[in-house]
Amino acid sequence: MSQNKNVSLERSAPQQPRPSNVYVGVGGSDSLCISPKRDHKSENYEDLQLEFNPLVFSSLEQYLPTHMLNLSREVKVQYMRNILLRYLPESERIRIQKHKEYRQRIMLNYPPLHREIYSMDAEKFFTPSFLRAIKENTEESFRSIMIEPCKGIYTFEMLQPRFCEMLVSEVDHFERWVHATKFRIMRPNIMNQYGAVLDDFGLEAMLDRLMSDFIRPLSRVFYSEIGGSSLDSHHGFVVEYGINRDVELGFHVDDSEVSLNICLGGEFSGGELFFRGVRCDEHVNSDIQSGEIFDHYHVPGHAILHPGRHRHGARPTTSGNRINLILWCRSSAFRELKKYRRDFSSWCEECKRKKKEKERLLVMATQQELMKREMQSAS
């Protein structure tokens, strides 16, 4: 149920394949490496006043040309900023600035109900089994708490009941404050008419920690081919379904590389998530293949982790109300480098199917040519 519109990603003209150690230009003279320097320790940019999330700069730094890595932080910031400014059109930068001012007005006036959830307190937020797996930080420890009911989809127990209760009551408190003050509220996306963006009223820093310290270790292992190792920004929100709320959610993909969806609770029936396969932009509306059909039933405190490009929706909530926490995790490096690639068969199931079919036809044509030659030589 991580939700929203289909993502429209820019696609460049066909290009010849490049070796993994060369650079790709992004306009002007600035360029990035296709492959990151995993052993390079990126600088911390959190003390700088920047238009973009500091984590974006830390992530992009690993993709800088080799000769840039040991230059001053100021030089690297300017270089990466030039790239990011070309990545976002002016209209988008204006929208981001206005949204930033909107958030500042809220945080100057909104009185939080549970201040303890505004900063990360892992021992109080997460279940012991989840914390233990993250601390061990191995694929084996992660898989010990997870179920993989469908390829690339993972479910696990994650949040303690008390944290779920506090977050739900905080959202309710915020919505009541918005109504009482007649403050304009921005909904999570164009598909949901109810719910709230958690980043807008002060929870951005906590959710950044959730992504970087608890989701990125998982995505580095399970989603490396779709930017899971370089997640650097997020969109965090809650959605509400049921009586006098949204009822269902249409078939879509998320504006994320990796999506986390956690049921926070409620008395309800229905509302199952349905998944129908991972697709690139070109094949988002292609047919469902065998083995791609999966339905997920919500359990309070339990999470489902999946690629943002995994097509999905939510069936009608037939009674009661439920509320879910959604975290869309994004990688600016993956999105930038994706523009220069045309083969997504490592993760798009339709690309993979077409590639296998092309290989099958090629083998068949080769066999027929060999048989033809043998017949000609025999005659």
Side-chain angles (χ1 to χ4, degrees):
M1 169 190 32
S2 2
Q3 31 268 198
N4 207 357
K5 53 195 178 187
N6 285 2
V7 187
S8 176
L9 292 176
E10 186 180 334
R11 193 175 302 284
S12 60
Q15 300 186 16
Q16 294 298 316
R18 299 176 174 85
S20 62
N21 59 340
V22 303
Y23 307 134
V24 290
V26 290
S29 59
D30 298 328
S31 58
L32 294 174
C33 293
I34 290 180
S35 300
K37 283 82 171 176
R38 300 289 185 199
D39 57 348
H40 173 71
K41 183 174 176 56
S42 297
E43 302 212 42
N44 189 315
Y45 297 92
E46 292 182 0
D47 61 312
L48 301 180
Q49 294 297 316
L50 302 164
E51 308 103 303
F52 306 96
N53 189 312
L55 285 173
V56 172
F57 289 90
S58 297
S59 175
L60 274 185
E61 186 175 328
Q62 292 191 326
Y63 291 84
L64 291 178
T66 305
H67 71 275
M68 295 284 304
L69 296 177
N70 294 321
L71 298 182
S72 70
R73 188 173 68 153
E74 290 70 23
V75 171
K76 288 186 285 191
V77 163
Q78 189 58 46
Y79 189 92
M80 291 185 285
R81 183 174 174 273
N82 288 341
I83 291 172
L84 291 167
L85 289 176
R86 279 193 288 274
Y87 174 63
L88 286 177
E90 184 179 1
S91 59
E92 180 66 7
R93 296 202 300 273
I94 292 173
R95 186 195 68 78
I96 290 173
Q97 180 58 35
K98 287 184 176 179
H99 197 170
K100 188 175 181 179
E101 293 169 358
Y102 163 80
R103 287 183 178 180
Q104 288 173 342
R105 289 198 301 274
I106 290 178
M107 287 187 280
L108 283 172
N109 295 283
Y110 172 64
L113 178 64
H114 298 292
R115 291 188 180 276
E116 60 267 41
I117 69 172
Y118 283 75
S119 57
M120 177 57 67
D121 189 342
E123 299 292 335
K124 292 183 179 178
F125 290 4
F126 304 118
T127 61
S129 60
F130 178 76
L131 271 183
R132 189 163 50 249
I134 293 297
K135 287 176 181 177
E136 291 180 17
N137 196 26
T138 65
E139 181 174 351
E140 183 181 11
S141 68
F142 299 154
R143 289 193 180 276
S144 71
I145 63 166
M146 290 176 158
I147 297 173
E148 187 179 7
C150 184
K151 182 182 177 184
I153 295 178
Y154 301 92
T155 63
F156 49 95
E157 188 179 12
M158 185 178 184
L159 296 180
Q160 293 193 27
R162 177 57 183 155
F163 173 76
C164 293
E165 292 168 4
M166 285 194 294
L167 183 54
V168 169
S169 62
E170 186 70 43
V171 171
D172 180 67
H173 177 66
F174 173 67
E175 291 181 333
R176 290 175 184 274
W177 175 81
V178 165
H179 180 74
T181 59
K182 294 181 170 54
F183 202 95
R184 183 172 63 92
I185 185 170
M186 296 182 71
R187 296 303 179 184
N189 52 65
I190 61 172
M191 296 179 73
N192 288 95
Q193 301 304 310
Y194 296 89
V197 179
L198 300 178
D199 301 317
D200 285 351
F201 58 96
L203 287 162
E204 183 178 20
M206 186 274 283
L207 293 176
D208 256 341
R209 285 282 310 279
L210 172 59
M211 180 192 70
S212 62
D213 295 355
F214 300 92
I215 301 307
R216 197 159 58 196
L218 300 174
S219 64
R220 185 180 292 120
V221 171
F222 299 116
Y223 302 120
S224 60
E225 74 280 4
I226 54 171
S229 299
S230 55
L231 301 178
D232 53 26
S233 65
H234 75 266
H235 177 48
F237 54 98
V238 294
V239 289
E240 301 172 66
Y241 291 88
I243 300 172
N244 299 322
R245 293 290 185 267
D246 290 316
V247 176
E248 60 187 336
L249 186 68
F251 198 47
H252 67 284
V253 295
D254 295 342
D255 185 5
S256 69
E257 274 59 71
V258 177
S259 293
L260 176 73
N261 185 333
I262 312 170
C263 180
L264 296 177
E267 297 287 335
F268 62 90
S269 58
E272 303 87 3
L273 299 183
F274 58 93
F275 290 85
R276 299 296 184 263
V278 182
R279 296 292 188 274
C280 65
D281 293 337
E282 183 179 350
H283 299 129
V284 71
N285 294 315
S286 62
D287 293 340
I288 300 167
Q289 299 179 27
S290 62
E292 290 188 322
I293 297 175
F294 168 65
D295 287 4
H296 172 73
Y297 296 84
H298 300 284
V299 178
H302 286 236
I304 180 167
L305 192 69
H306 63 87
R309 297 294 312 184
H310 204 133
R311 303 176 300 177
H312 61 286
R315 292 198 169 86
T317 298
T318 54
S319 67
N321 291 279
R322 69 177 173 86
I323 182 168
N324 283 57
L325 164 63
I326 313 295
L327 191 69
W328 285 350
C329 304
R330 298 159 172 164
S331 166
S332 55
F334 177 77
R335 293 184 175 208
E336 180 63 29
L337 296 173
K338 187 179 174 186
K339 297 177 184 178
Y340 305 94
R341 293 175 178 163
R342 301 189 67 237
D343 179 14
F344 303 114
S345 57
S346 64
W347 54 269
C348 172
E349 294 301 327
E350 183 65 11
C351 283
K352 189 180 300 182
R353 185 193 68 78
K354 288 192 170 187
K355 185 175 182 179
K356 286 182 178 179
E357 178 63 13
K358 186 176 180 180
E359 291 171 349
R360 186 186 69 81
L361 293 174
L362 182 60
V363 169
M364 186 181 300
T366 302
Q367 290 173 339
Q368 290 174 346
E369 180 63 25
L370 290 173
M371 290 175 62
K372 182 179 177 181
R373 290 180 185 179
E374 287 178 2
M375 291 174 65
Q376 288 175 343
S377 61
S379 61

